Amino acid sequence: MTMLEQQLAELITMSPARLRSLWRDTYRSPAPDVSPDLLKRGIAHRLQERTHGRLPNATQREIQRLRKRVERTGKAGHMHAISLKTGTRLVRSWNGKSYHVLVCDDGFEFQGRRYESLSHIAREITGAHWSGPRFFGLKKSGSYKPKAMVNG
């Protein structure tokens, strides 16, 4: 049994008072007023994090973005959604006119308005149902190649 496995096993039998003390030692702050089960989970998370490392910042940001979406809409979205960096500007020409979309933390900005999906923007531009990622050249389809995609 590894040291981490031993520490995790010990958490199971700890008293609430011992858990609160271990929380203080682990997090360097007083334990929150939560159940012993949640204290165990929080301590276990930190112990595993110290052993195996933290999630990459991009993954943490994606988790936060999904958490906000769930709070707002009750849905997390697709698991295989295209990942774009905040600040990326998508450019698409349609019927002789260029359209610019800014990628934001919680969606997209187009012509001063916020949208949850690129598909809504594609419909706004074309008046027809489109896959937003396909319309903006983010997924393979047909012969369209995006004119420009610039990180800003």
Side-chain angles (χ1 to χ4, degrees):
M1 184 179 276
T2 68
M3 173 87 106
L4 175 61
E5 290 170 333
Q6 185 177 350
Q7 290 173 315
L8 295 174
E10 290 172 1
L11 285 175
I12 294 169
T13 60
M14 282 188 188
S15 69
R18 176 69 184 114
L19 286 168
R20 293 190 179 290
S21 174
L22 184 55
W23 181 283
R24 265 192 313 280
D25 295 343
T26 304
Y27 283 93
R28 308 264 187 252
S29 67
D33 189 21
V34 296
S35 70
D37 181 59
L38 287 177
L39 290 174
K40 289 175 192 175
R41 290 171 189 258
I43 294 166
H45 173 79
R46 183 56 59 96
L47 293 174
Q48 291 173 77
E49 197 175 67
R50 286 179 181 165
T51 300
H52 300 295
R54 301 184 94 181
L55 291 172
N57 288 338
T59 302
Q60 290 181 28
R61 281 192 305 273
E62 179 67 8
I63 290 169
Q64 288 303 318
R65 186 185 69 74
L66 289 171
R67 182 186 61 79
K68 287 177 185 176
R69 179 179 285 172
V70 167
E71 287 174 355
R72 198 175 61 249
T73 67
K75 299 177 186 173
H78 300 290
M79 292 299 293
H80 302 292
I82 291 172
S83 178
L84 297 170
K85 288 184 181 179
T86 299
T88 298
R89 188 169 300 279
L90 304 174
V91 179
R92 171 63 150 100
S93 291
W94 178 258
N95 289 340
K97 186 175 176 186
S98 284
Y99 296 92
H100 300 258
V101 174
L102 179 66
V103 178
C104 303
D105 282 333
D106 59 348
F108 304 92
E109 184 177 311
F110 172 64
Q111 295 183 335
R113 290 178 41 205
R114 292 288 176 132
Y115 293 83
E116 286 187 23
S117 79
L118 288 173
S119 296
H120 291 132
I121 297 170
R123 179 181 293 239
E124 184 86 16
I125 293 169
T126 67
H129 176 74
W130 272 80
S131 160
R134 282 201 176 132
F135 181 78
F136 285 97
L138 301 173
K139 283 189 176 179
K140 291 180 181 179
S141 167
S143 60
Y144 171 71
K145 306 255 187 297
K147 207 169 196 187
M149 191 179 327
V150 181
N151 276 329

